[in-house]
């Protein structure tokens, strides 16, 4: 098997002062998975997590910046952070503030906005902390989505006129025609549709939360009206009404008939429920079929009787 860490070599590197970096904890360590999922759903921006374990008297990285916002959460030990002032950190006379020296103890947090110059080092003990990165969806990215859709016009695939480098005036006239056309199209863009597209993309591009899904699938053939189910921790479910109803399930979109909307809303909103409690919305066969589908899609998990 290739690509595996060698524990002996890892420990030897740490003994020599290296920092151990555990990347992508938001994908596989359950407590951090749940934390990052709750955080990104609250913020509306994707979140990620790495862990850093630094031996005594060492520095993990030289001074650097990150291209996203960072929250540093100190778990154990302590670490000294140097934080350089950014362009916005100036007093009324335009003078920069001094470099900050911050000592983080267990339970403390430090916020580093995008582009903040920083470095950290340990003193007398092993230090461990999490960095929570917030990958912001910026206005630039939002506007790029709109422009990319407009620029998908096949008419723009036509080549520039032959000899265009030697005819700048005629080319400028043609360019104005295209710009005016784009301006007209841009003015016709519905801002509500732009927002809806951004939201739908966010709610269908999250990492799936499927821990225990194989066990749930094994239980489906024996599931009865007396079984209790619950919404899987970390599962996303945004409901877009209509016919069909669109369920945005974090990493996918599921469409179901419109008459199922009341049952789906109750299933997604309740912490736990017995399948028979849906009798007000569905007959026995229908609620078994719908519950089974939502279990397979990762929204629900089976608790048993």
């Amino acid at each position: 098997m290739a690509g595996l860490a060698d524990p002996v070599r890892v420990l030897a590197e740490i003994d020599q002062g290296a920092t151990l970096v555990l990347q992508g904890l938001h994908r596989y360590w359950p407590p951090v998975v749940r934390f990052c999922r709750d955080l990104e759903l609250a913020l509306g921006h994707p979140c990620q997590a790495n862990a850093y374990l630094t031996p005594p008297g060492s520095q993990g990285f030289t001074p650097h910046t990150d291209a996203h916002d960072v929250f540093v959460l100190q778990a154990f030990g302590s670490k000294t952070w140097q934080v350089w002032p950014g362009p916005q950190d100036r007093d009324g006379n335009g003078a920069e503030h001094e470099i900050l020296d911050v000592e983080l103890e267990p339970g403390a947090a430090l916020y580093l906005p995008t582009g903040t110059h920083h470095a950290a080092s340990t003193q007398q003990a092993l230090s461990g902390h999490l960095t929570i990165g917030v990958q912001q969806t910026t206005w630039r990215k939002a506007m790029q989505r709109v422009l990319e859709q407009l620029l998908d016009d096949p008419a723009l695939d036509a080549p520039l006129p032959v000899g265009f480098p030697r005819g700048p005036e005629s080319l400028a006239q043609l360019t104005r025609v295209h710009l005016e056309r784009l301006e007209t199209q841009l003015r016709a863009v519905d801002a509500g549709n732009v927002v809806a597209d951004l939201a739908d993309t966010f709610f269908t591009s999250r990492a799936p939360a499927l821990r225990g899904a194989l066990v749930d699938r094994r239980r489906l053939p024996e599931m009865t009206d007396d079984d209790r189910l619950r919404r899987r921790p970390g599962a996303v479910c945004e409901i877009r009404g209509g016919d069909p109803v669109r369920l945005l399930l974090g990493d996918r979109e599921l469409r179901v008939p419109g008459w199922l909307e009341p049952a789906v809303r109750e299933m997604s909103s309740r912490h736990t429920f017995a399948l028979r409690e849906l009798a007000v919305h569905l007959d026995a066969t229908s609620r078994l079929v719908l519950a089974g589908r939502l279990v397979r899609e990762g929204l629900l998990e089976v608790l048993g009787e």
Side-chain angles (χ1 to χ4, degrees), residues 5-274:
D6 183 337
V8 174
R9 292 186 60 188
V10 169
L11 293 174
E13 292 290 339
I14 294 175
D15 287 341
Q16 296 300 314
T19 290
L20 175 62
V21 183
L22 304 176
Q23 295 183 321
L25 285 180
H26 61 286
R27 294 187 177 276
Y28 59 87
W29 186 248
V32 178
V33 170
R34 292 193 295 270
F35 176 79
C36 285
R37 174 53 51 83
D38 290 345
L39 181 61
E40 67 181 7
L41 290 179
L43 296 177
H45 298 275
C47 297
Q48 63 185 43
N50 295 336
Y52 298 85
L53 283 76
T54 304
S58 299
Q59 182 177 37
F61 293 101
T62 57
H64 66 283
T65 62
D66 292 308
H68 52 265
D69 284 10
V70 169
F71 290 93
V72 178
L73 310 178
Q74 189 69 27
F76 58 86
S78 64
K79 185 167 282 190
T80 301
W81 291 78
Q82 284 189 307
V83 182
W84 279 259
Q88 73 282 0
D89 297 324
R90 299 175 183 270
D91 60 26
N93 298 319
E96 289 189 352
H97 296 168
E98 296 181 355
I99 298 175
L100 297 178
D101 285 304
V102 182
E103 183 82 11
L104 289 191
E105 300 290 343
L110 176 66
Y111 171 56
L112 301 171
T114 301
T116 301
H117 216 68
H118 61 277
S121 60
T122 57
Q123 301 301 320
Q124 303 300 321
L126 178 71
S127 170
H129 74 270
L130 289 175
T131 62
I132 308 299
V134 181
Q135 303 282 354
Q136 311 98 322
T137 299
T138 63
W139 283 109
R140 182 187 302 278
K141 294 177 182 178
M143 294 303 101
Q144 281 177 339
R145 289 176 64 89
V146 176
L147 293 174
E148 286 171 358
Q149 292 173 1
L150 297 181
L151 294 175
D152 199 29
D153 185 348
L156 296 176
D157 293 327
L160 298 181
V162 174
F164 75 89
R166 296 186 181 278
E169 293 183 0
S170 61
L171 183 63
Q173 184 176 357
L174 291 174
T175 300
R176 281 192 291 271
V177 171
H178 282 291
L179 289 175
E180 289 170 359
R181 182 180 180 184
L182 283 173
E183 181 182 3
T184 300
Q185 293 174 327
L186 191 58
R187 290 184 181 277
V189 171
D190 187 324
N193 289 339
V194 173
V195 172
D197 179 58
L198 288 170
D200 287 2
T201 299
F202 176 77
F203 288 122
T204 55
S205 59
R206 315 275 42 87
L210 296 177
R211 185 178 179 86
L214 182 59
V215 174
D216 285 331
R217 287 171 180 251
R218 290 183 57 200
R219 291 175 172 173
L220 287 179
E222 289 80 34
M223 189 168 65
T224 70
D225 242 10
D226 293 324
D227 280 320
R228 297 195 66 81
L229 299 96
R230 71 173 178 181
R231 181 164 170 169
R232 181 180 297 280
V236 176
C237 183
E238 292 291 318
I239 301 175
R240 302 289 189 257
D243 195 5
V245 176
R246 298 166 53 232
L247 308 182
L248 310 183
L249 299 177
D251 64 329
R252 75 197 75 180
E253 176 180 315
L254 174 66
R255 300 191 176 201
V256 300
W259 58 272
L260 289 175
E261 182 173 351
V264 169
R265 288 192 179 276
E266 183 162 352
M267 284 181 167
S268 66
S269 64
R270 296 181 59 176
H271 179 60
T272 66
F273 61 91

Side-chain angles (χ1 to χ4, degrees), residues 223-225 229 256-257 259-260 263-264 267 273 275-276 278-296 300:
M223 189 168 65
T224 70
D225 242 10
L229 299 96
V256 300
W259 58 272
L260 289 175
V264 169
M267 284 181 167
F273 61 91
L275 201 52
R276 63 178 180 276
L278 299 177
V280 65
H281 301 297
L282 300 172
D283 60 57
T285 300
S286 296
R287 54 184 180 260
L288 274 171
V289 171
L290 179 60
R293 178 63 185 275
L294 295 181
V295 168
R296 287 191 294 271
L300 302 177

